[in-house]
């Protein structure tokens, strides 16, 4: 017999398309098993401030197609303090919450892991971040939608690049990881992809552009992960003096990548993980993330999900270089 009678659910960190689908799945799975569900608004800050809201089946109707998160999200420096976490614990106990599902990234899992070590309330995580940089899962909620947003934007940029014979640098999200840049770059036929995992790419890019110029290649799309070499603007500045005959433009896609209606893939992924998160709590699991490996749902300890690094697909990296000739 499960000891879980009432669960909380929150979203934390950067928002990602599909978070609402996960909230819906957590809520309805819990209700199916006769559990009460409490939505915790504004992430860990809401846990500290007591921003609680009961969730019913009808509460989560018509949200699966919506981007963002109905529970809102916020950064919370106070949760990093023992005093803040103790206050959050008191609020959870006053609401008789037996377990919490947290939807977010590695920062969210770090906080949840520390909390569950200090207090006797289990936490299960659902990976929700467009960066797809969490160890232990092949995909994270929001990643597929972000990729589609980037490809749609770059397809339009390529139209104008062709019309004006221009070199476009397109900056995508990924300050520390190049998952979005690499996969979207291949999908939209980018001539070059710059990611944090590869070094000395500006020198390589110079050689590539010189070769293209000799072959009278009049247009190029360069995808740049935002954290690489100072971002697209800085890379364009470095190259401008060596390629005065190129008409260069920079487009920073920014937070457009976080928004929009989630893709079918993200909706289904979020629904699967939401269901399994509730199952994990009922099975007595704690301090673990539900992830997907080889299309199977797995449990990954928070300590591994947070501390271990996830590398980009090296085969895709090689393919991107070969197809850009």
């Amino acid at each position: 017999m499960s000891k879980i009678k009432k669960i909380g659910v929150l979203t934390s960190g950067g928002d990602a398309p599909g978070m609402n689908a996960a909230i819906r799945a957590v809520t309805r799975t819990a209700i199916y098993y006769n559990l009460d569900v409490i939505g915790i608004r504004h992430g860990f800050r809401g846990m500290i401030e007591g921003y609680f809201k009961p969730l019913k089946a009808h509460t989560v109707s018509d949200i699966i197609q919506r981007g963002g998160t109905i529970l809102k999200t916020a950064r919370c420096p106070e949760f990093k303090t023992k005093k803040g976490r103790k206050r959050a614990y008191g609020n959870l106990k006053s609401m008789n919450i037996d377990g919490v599902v947290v939807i977010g990234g590695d920062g969210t899992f770090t906080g949840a892991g520390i909390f569950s070590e200090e207090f006797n309330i289990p936490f299960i995580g659902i990976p929700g971040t467009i960066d797809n940089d969490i160890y232990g899962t092949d995909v994270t909620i929001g990643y597929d939608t972000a990729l589609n947003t980037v490809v749609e934007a770059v397809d339009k940029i390529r139209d104008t690049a062709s019309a004006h014979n221009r070199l476009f640098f397109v900056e995508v999200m990924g300050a520390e990881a190049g998952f979005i840049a690499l996969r979207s770059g291949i999908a939209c036929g980018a001539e070059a992809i710059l990611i944090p995992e590869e070094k000395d790419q500006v020198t390589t890019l110079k050689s590539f552009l010189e070769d293209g110029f000799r072959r009278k290649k009049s247009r190029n799309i360069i995808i740049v992960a935002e954290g690489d070499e100072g971002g697209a603007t800085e890379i364009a500045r470095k190259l401008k003096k060596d390629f005065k005959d190129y008409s260069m433009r920079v487009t920073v896609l920014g937070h457009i990548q976080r928004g929009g209606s989630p893709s079918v893939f993200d909706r289904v992924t979020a629904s699967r993980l939401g269901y399994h998160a509730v199952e994990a709590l009922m099975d007595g699991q704690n301090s673990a993330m539900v992830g997907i490996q080889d299309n199977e749902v797995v449990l990954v300890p928070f300590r591994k999900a947070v501390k271990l690094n996830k590398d980009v697909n090296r085969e895709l990296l090689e393919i991107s270089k070969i197809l850009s000739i």
Side-chain angles (χ1 to χ4, degrees):
M1 178 78 66
S2 173
K3 296 180 180 180
I4 302 293
K5 303 299 181 185
K6 181 186 288 188
I7 68 171
V9 58
L10 64 84
T11 51
S12 179
D15 62 295
M19 281 185 165
N20 282 327
I23 294 168
R24 173 181 179 271
V26 168
T27 301
R28 293 194 169 183
T29 301
I31 291 171
Y32 175 83
Y33 287 117
N34 297 314
L35 307 180
D36 292 327
V37 191
I38 301 295
I40 304 171
R41 293 171 56 82
H42 301 286
F44 291 128
R45 182 160 69 87
M47 194 182 293
I48 292 174
E49 300 295 335
Y51 299 150
F52 298 146
K53 174 185 178 181
L55 298 179
K56 306 295 182 183
H58 66 83
T59 311
V60 294
S61 295
D62 298 325
I63 68 169
I64 194 170
Q65 78 281 5
R66 291 169 56 184
T69 161
I70 63 165
L71 293 178
K72 310 297 182 183
T73 181
R75 309 291 181 184
C76 185
E78 190 179 353
F79 196 76
K80 296 179 180 180
T81 69
K82 183 68 176 286
K83 180 180 178 181
R85 293 191 297 273
K86 187 174 181 180
R87 185 177 171 189
Y89 174 73
N91 287 331
L92 292 180
K93 293 304 291 182
S94 69
M95 293 294 293
N96 296 314
I97 292 175
D98 304 309
V100 181
V101 175
V102 292
I103 307 167
D106 54 5
T108 301
F109 298 160
T110 298
I114 294 172
F115 188 95
S116 63
E117 286 179 5
E118 295 175 336
F119 305 104
N120 190 29
I121 295 181
F123 277 68
I124 294 294
I126 296 176
T129 168
I130 66 169
D131 292 332
N132 197 42
D133 59 349
I134 297 179
Y135 178 87
T137 184
D138 295 338
V139 291
T140 58
I141 296 171
Y143 176 54
D144 185 69
T145 305
L147 287 175
N148 285 307
T149 298
V150 171
V151 170
E152 181 181 0
V154 175
D155 284 350
K156 293 177 180 179
I157 289 170
R158 185 176 288 281
D159 289 343
T160 192
S162 300
H164 294 276
N165 294 334
R166 286 174 176 164
L167 169 60
F168 270 88
F169 292 88
V170 182
E171 183 177 296
V172 302
M173 284 186 167
E176 299 178 357
F179 295 97
I180 291 177
L182 178 56
R183 192 167 288 264
S184 66
I186 292 174
C188 64
E191 279 72 27
I193 303 168
L194 277 62
I195 59 175
E197 290 83 354
E198 292 284 278
K199 305 304 178 185
D200 198 28
Q201 294 177 97
V202 172
T203 300
T204 303
L205 183 57
K206 282 183 179 180
S207 298
F208 173 81
L209 292 175
E210 286 170 354
D211 180 61
F213 188 75
R214 284 193 296 269
R215 292 188 287 117
K216 301 187 184 306
K217 197 168 186 178
S218 60
R219 63 187 182 279
N220 289 288
I221 299 290
I222 314 298
I223 301 292
V224 182
E226 63 184 342
D228 193 59
E229 306 279 357
T233 301
E234 179 62 19
I235 291 174
R237 186 191 66 78
K238 290 178 180 178
L239 294 174
K240 181 64 178 175
K241 60 183 179 181
D242 294 323
F243 298 95
K244 293 183 172 60
D245 292 323
Y246 270 124
S247 176
M248 296 187 182
R249 296 291 186 274
V250 175
T251 299
V252 179
L253 295 185
H255 283 77
I256 188 176
Q257 296 158 88
R258 289 198 186 279
S261 181
S263 66
V264 171
F265 185 85
D266 274 331
R267 296 184 198 194
V268 174
T269 298
S271 298
R272 290 180 71 190
L273 294 179
Y275 161 79
H276 282 282
V278 175
E279 292 261 313
L281 279 177
M282 294 180 65
D283 287 342
Q285 301 295 332
N286 184 22
S287 294
M289 172 194 77
V290 286
I292 294 180
Q293 296 177 14
D294 297 326
N295 204 33
E296 296 293 329
V297 175
V298 297
L299 275 175
V300 181
F302 280 157
R303 58 183 175 79
K304 286 188 175 182
V306 170
K307 291 182 179 180
L308 299 181
N309 293 324
K310 179 179 179 180
D311 196 13
V312 294
N313 187 314
R314 293 290 161 173
E315 180 190 38
L316 285 183
L317 192 59
E318 182 64 21
I319 289 173
S320 72
K321 295 174 181 178
I322 291 173
L323 298 185
S324 66
I325 61 173

